[in-house]
Amino acid sequence: MAADTDGGARAEVGRPRDEAWASVLVRLTRGRAIAIDYAHPVDNRPPCGTLTGYRDGSVVTPVPDGSCDITAHVALDACAEAGRRAGAISTALSTQREALRELGLTGARPPLDLARTDPRRYLRALARASEEGELLEATGLGGFGWLSQTK
């Protein structure tokens, strides 16, 4: 728990989140459910929680008065357990970087020779490599947690 701006206390409660995830798995008759979010594992839970406010792209004190967006990291390992109890037969926890690399994204620059032989194709490939690189960056979007469960 952490003190709020009025001197009270707050706590991040995960049960509604776990119940929501379990309801996804219960309704899934066959296939894969994927959750992607800022995440933290059980062995690295922030002691004061992760509740954060954002206004105009900047971090601000999370005050639930409509003046900012409020978010919190997701304990994907807790969601995974709720999914197992709801019937998931396969579970994978990873980072976005790991998951997208398994799907073939590399962020690799195209061969420079392509710029001479097919400049438009080179520019398209360079733009794609830049976009992939942003999705894979370990300290940015690549650090998002991924939970994948199948039935």
Side-chain angles (χ1 to χ4, degrees):
M1 281 210 250
D4 69 14
T5 58
D6 296 324
R10 70 167 195 253
E12 294 176 22
V13 179
R15 187 179 55 202
R17 170 210 58 222
D18 296 346
E19 290 171 352
W21 182 251
S23 76
V24 169
L25 270 290
V26 165
R27 290 191 307 265
L28 187 65
T29 56
R30 193 175 124 224
R32 178 181 315 268
I34 299 175
I36 304 167
D37 208 321
Y38 295 107
H40 51 76
V42 68
D43 60 351
N44 194 21
R45 299 256 193 269
C48 295
T50 62
L51 198 62
T52 306
Y54 287 95
R55 183 181 308 114
D56 300 322
S58 297
V59 175
V60 297
T61 301
V63 179
D65 63 359
S67 67
C68 63
D69 295 328
I70 298 177
T71 187
H73 294 196
V74 174
L76 289 177
D77 54 309
C79 291
E81 183 55 36
R84 284 186 200 99
R85 288 192 306 269
I89 58 171
S90 167
T91 298
L93 285 163
S94 68
T95 64
Q96 177 162 296
R97 178 183 180 92
E98 294 163 346
L100 293 180
R101 285 203 164 168
E102 284 182 26
L103 294 172
L105 272 71
T106 65
R109 292 178 56 133
L112 192 53
D113 197 44
L114 186 59
R116 286 186 277 281
T117 60
D118 192 342
R120 286 187 177 159
R121 190 167 147 221
Y122 175 77
L123 288 176
R124 283 192 304 270
L126 191 60
R128 180 179 172 103
S130 176
E131 291 165 353
E132 288 181 8
E134 185 172 354
L135 292 171
L136 296 170
E137 174 56 43
T139 59
L141 298 177
F144 274 33
W146 278 44
L147 165 60
S148 174
Q149 292 189 299
T150 58
K151 281 181 82 176

mmCIF file of all heavy atoms in Angstrom, residues 52-70:
data_model
loop_
_atom_site.group_PDB
_atom_site.id
_atom_site.type_symbol
_atom_site.label_atom_id
_atom_site.label_comp_id
_atom_site.label_asym_id
_atom_site.label_seq_id
_atom_site.Cartn_x
_atom_site.Cartn_y
_atom_site.Cartn_z
ATOM 1 N N THR A 52 -0.079 4.651 -11.731
ATOM 2 C CA THR A 52 0.593 5.790 -12.351
ATOM 3 C C THR A 52 -0.426 6.646 -13.091
ATOM 4 O O THR A 52 -1.368 6.125 -13.684
ATOM 5 C CB THR A 52 1.659 5.305 -13.370
ATOM 6 O OG1 THR A 52 2.542 4.408 -12.715
ATOM 7 C CG2 THR A 52 2.450 6.462 -13.939
ATOM 8 N N GLY A 53 -0.228 7.939 -13.057
ATOM 9 C CA GLY A 53 -1.067 8.853 -13.810
ATOM 10 C C GLY A 53 -0.298 9.431 -14.987
ATOM 11 O O GLY A 53 0.921 9.604 -14.919
ATOM 12 N N TYR A 54 -1.016 9.691 -16.075
ATOM 13 C CA TYR A 54 -0.425 10.323 -17.262
ATOM 14 C C TYR A 54 -1.319 11.473 -17.705
ATOM 15 O O TYR A 54 -2.541 11.342 -17.748
ATOM 16 C CB TYR A 54 -0.308 9.326 -18.422
ATOM 17 C CG TYR A 54 0.774 8.294 -18.229
ATOM 18 C CD1 TYR A 54 0.482 7.051 -17.694
ATOM 19 C CD2 TYR A 54 2.083 8.571 -18.584
ATOM 20 C CE1 TYR A 54 1.471 6.105 -17.513
ATOM 21 C CE2 TYR A 54 3.081 7.632 -18.411
ATOM 22 C CZ TYR A 54 2.761 6.398 -17.875
ATOM 23 O OH TYR A 54 3.748 5.466 -17.691
ATOM 24 N N ARG A 55 -0.680 12.581 -18.034
ATOM 25 C CA ARG A 55 -1.373 13.725 -18.616
ATOM 26 C C ARG A 55 -0.482 14.293 -19.700
ATOM 27 O O ARG A 55 0.681 14.619 -19.439
ATOM 28 C CB ARG A 55 -1.676 14.790 -17.565
ATOM 29 C CG ARG A 55 -2.466 15.972 -18.130
ATOM 30 C CD ARG A 55 -2.768 17.064 -17.108
ATOM 31 N NE ARG A 55 -3.391 16.567 -15.902
ATOM 32 C CZ ARG A 55 -2.810 16.584 -14.693
ATOM 33 N NH1 ARG A 55 -1.609 17.085 -14.533
ATOM 34 N NH2 ARG A 55 -3.455 16.122 -13.649
ATOM 35 N N ASP A 56 -1.027 14.373 -20.894
ATOM 36 C CA ASP A 56 -0.290 14.932 -22.033
ATOM 37 C C ASP A 56 1.062 14.255 -22.219
ATOM 38 O O ASP A 56 2.075 14.910 -22.505
ATOM 39 C CB ASP A 56 -0.098 16.446 -21.874
ATOM 40 C CG ASP A 56 -1.424 17.198 -21.797
ATOM 41 O OD1 ASP A 56 -2.352 16.807 -22.528
ATOM 42 O OD2 ASP A 56 -1.517 18.159 -21.014
ATOM 43 N N GLY A 57 1.115 12.929 -22.004
ATOM 44 C CA GLY A 57 2.342 12.176 -22.221
ATOM 45 C C GLY A 57 3.344 12.231 -21.088
ATOM 46 O O GLY A 57 4.426 11.662 -21.189
ATOM 47 N N SER A 58 3.019 12.906 -20.004
ATOM 48 C CA SER A 58 3.935 13.006 -18.867
ATOM 49 C C SER A 58 3.356 12.297 -17.657
ATOM 50 O O SER A 58 2.139 12.278 -17.445
ATOM 51 C CB SER A 58 4.176 14.470 -18.496
ATOM 52 O OG SER A 58 4.805 15.143 -19.558
ATOM 53 N N VAL A 59 4.239 11.734 -16.831
ATOM 54 C CA VAL A 59 3.827 11.074 -15.598
ATOM 55 C C VAL A 59 3.426 12.122 -14.574
ATOM 56 O O VAL A 59 4.143 13.102 -14.368
ATOM 57 C CB VAL A 59 4.969 10.183 -15.046
ATOM 58 C CG1 VAL A 59 4.587 9.584 -13.702
ATOM 59 C CG2 VAL A 59 5.320 9.085 -16.035
ATOM 60 N N VAL A 60 2.249 11.917 -13.974
ATOM 61 C CA VAL A 60 1.748 12.807 -12.930
ATOM 62 C C VAL A 60 1.216 11.947 -11.782
ATOM 63 O O VAL A 60 1.049 10.743 -11.922
ATOM 64 C CB VAL A 60 0.629 13.747 -13.455
ATOM 65 C CG1 VAL A 60 1.147 14.674 -14.541
ATOM 66 C CG2 VAL A 60 -0.570 12.945 -13.958
ATOM 67 N N THR A 61 0.925 12.571 -10.656
ATOM 68 C CA THR A 61 0.334 11.857 -9.533
ATOM 69 C C THR A 61 -1.020 11.301 -9.964
ATOM 70 O O THR A 61 -1.841 12.039 -10.519
ATOM 71 C CB THR A 61 0.153 12.800 -8.331
ATOM 72 O OG1 THR A 61 1.427 13.325 -7.969
ATOM 73 C CG2 THR A 61 -0.452 12.074 -7.145
ATOM 74 N N PRO A 62 -1.259 10.010 -9.721
ATOM 75 C CA PRO A 62 -2.535 9.413 -10.149
ATOM 76 C C PRO A 62 -3.687 9.814 -9.233
ATOM 77 O O PRO A 62 -3.873 9.259 -8.159
ATOM 78 C CB PRO A 62 -2.257 7.909 -10.062
ATOM 79 C CG PRO A 62 -1.194 7.774 -9.036
ATOM 80 C CD PRO A 62 -0.365 9.023 -9.125
ATOM 81 N N VAL A 63 -4.441 10.806 -9.647
ATOM 82 C CA VAL A 63 -5.579 11.287 -8.872
ATOM 83 C C VAL A 63 -6.843 10.971 -9.680
ATOM 84 O O VAL A 63 -6.984 11.439 -10.808
ATOM 85 C CB VAL A 63 -5.477 12.810 -8.610
ATOM 86 C CG1 VAL A 63 -6.672 13.309 -7.820
ATOM 87 C CG2 VAL A 63 -4.172 13.141 -7.904
ATOM 88 N N PRO A 64 -7.762 10.187 -9.119
ATOM 89 C CA PRO A 64 -8.955 9.776 -9.871
ATOM 90 C C PRO A 64 -10.032 10.859 -9.941
ATOM 91 O O PRO A 64 -11.163 10.684 -9.506
ATOM 92 C CB PRO A 64 -9.445 8.547 -9.087
ATOM 93 C CG PRO A 64 -9.007 8.798 -7.688
ATOM 94 C CD PRO A 64 -7.703 9.542 -7.810
ATOM 95 N N ASP A 65 -9.658 12.008 -10.496
ATOM 96 C CA ASP A 65 -10.603 13.124 -10.605
ATOM 97 C C ASP A 65 -10.888 13.500 -12.064
ATOM 98 O O ASP A 65 -11.483 14.527 -12.333
ATOM 99 C CB ASP A 65 -10.073 14.337 -9.837
ATOM 100 C CG ASP A 65 -8.764 14.875 -10.407
ATOM 101 O OD1 ASP A 65 -8.249 14.300 -11.401
ATOM 102 O OD2 ASP A 65 -8.247 15.859 -9.860
ATOM 103 N N GLY A 66 -10.434 12.655 -12.996
ATOM 104 C CA GLY A 66 -10.653 12.922 -14.412
ATOM 105 C C GLY A 66 -9.602 13.802 -15.045
ATOM 106 O O GLY A 66 -9.647 14.068 -16.241
ATOM 107 N N SER A 67 -8.633 14.273 -14.269
ATOM 108 C CA SER A 67 -7.618 15.184 -14.804
ATOM 109 C C SER A 67 -6.470 14.454 -15.491
ATOM 110 O O SER A 67 -5.634 15.088 -16.127
ATOM 111 C CB SER A 67 -7.063 16.074 -13.687
ATOM 112 O OG SER A 67 -6.327 15.281 -12.753
ATOM 113 N N CYS A 68 -6.424 13.124 -15.345
ATOM 114 C CA CYS A 68 -5.340 12.356 -15.959
ATOM 115 C C CYS A 68 -5.809 10.932 -16.235
ATOM 116 O O CYS A 68 -6.832 10.486 -15.707
ATOM 117 C CB CYS A 68 -4.100 12.335 -15.056
ATOM 118 S SG CYS A 68 -4.352 11.518 -13.464
ATOM 119 N N ASP A 69 -5.072 10.263 -17.090
ATOM 120 C CA ASP A 69 -5.305 8.840 -17.321
ATOM 121 C C ASP A 69 -4.585 8.088 -16.212
ATOM 122 O O ASP A 69 -3.475 8.451 -15.821
ATOM 123 C CB ASP A 69 -4.740 8.416 -18.681
ATOM 124 C CG ASP A 69 -5.464 9.076 -19.841
ATOM 125 O OD1 ASP A 69 -6.670 9.335 -19.709
ATOM 126 O OD2 ASP A 69 -4.821 9.330 -20.870
ATOM 127 N N ILE A 70 -5.206 7.033 -15.718
ATOM 128 C CA ILE A 70 -4.614 6.237 -14.642
ATOM 129 C C ILE A 70 -4.449 4.805 -15.124
ATOM 130 O O ILE A 70 -5.342 4.240 -15.746
ATOM 131 C CB ILE A 70 -5.488 6.281 -13.371
ATOM 132 C CG1 ILE A 70 -5.580 7.728 -12.874
ATOM 133 C CG2 ILE A 70 -4.924 5.361 -12.303
ATOM 134 C CD1 ILE A 70 -6.478 7.910 -11.674
#
